[in-house]
Amino acid sequence: MEKEAIETLVFAQKSKTELIDETIISLQGLLYETFLKKGDRNLKNEFPTNTHPDDLRIKLDNVVIYIESLNSPELSIEVILDIFINQTNFELGKFSHFFNEEGNLIDELLVMN
């Protein structure tokens, strides 16, 4: 099958753009909450000292379609975002959302370097 045909089938319920947007919005919300006083202190400590939300940049890394994996025998889609420090272009970590074939969120993962 050609890439376009596969994408048409996989993204029939929600478009690739919609899944990417949902993931970006979720990460932005997490970062906003983290850097507020009521945010998760443990997560905030994963960032360099004196980091502010404006210091961070989010970049789309990849959208991966898993036909079958060790974690799930069903089709799933992973949207992977990279988190960078603006000034140094240093990658701090990755944030992923996993969706099922209907486009519903099934898991999320944050890995800090």
Side-chain angles (χ1 to χ4, degrees):
M1 272 185 152
E2 292 184 28
K3 178 183 173 190
E4 292 80 23
I6 292 171
E7 287 192 358
T8 300
L9 290 171
V10 170
F11 300 111
Q13 299 294 320
K14 281 190 179 175
S15 73
K16 185 191 303 187
T17 302
E18 288 174 307
L19 298 180
I20 292 168
D21 288 347
E22 283 183 31
T23 306
I24 291 171
I25 290 167
S26 179
L27 177 55
Q28 287 174 332
L30 176 66
L31 293 173
Y32 178 76
E33 287 292 320
T34 298
F35 289 100
L36 289 176
K37 296 209 184 282
K38 62 183 176 186
D40 182 347
R41 291 213 181 274
N42 291 329
L43 181 55
K44 188 173 182 176
N45 290 337
E46 294 290 325
F47 291 88
T49 307
N50 297 325
T51 299
H52 298 42
D54 295 342
D55 299 331
L56 303 175
R57 181 171 50 95
I58 299 169
K59 178 182 159 222
L60 177 65
D61 180 352
N62 212 342
V63 177
V64 181
I65 301 168
Y66 299 102
I67 305 300
E68 189 174 319
S69 71
L70 294 174
N71 297 329
S72 173
E74 298 178 11
L75 184 134
S76 61
I77 304 153
E78 180 182 16
V79 177
I80 307 165
L81 303 175
D82 293 328
I83 306 166
F84 289 93
I85 289 282
N86 261 335
Q87 295 171 344
T88 61
N89 209 26
F90 176 74
E91 184 180 318
L92 293 173
K94 291 186 179 293
F95 180 79
S96 294
H97 263 185
F98 295 87
F99 299 93
N100 63 16
E101 61 187 301
E102 285 84 36
N104 298 318
L105 180 66
I106 54 176
D107 202 1
E108 71 178 8
L109 178 67
L110 173 64
V111 177
M112 299 298 291
N113 295 338

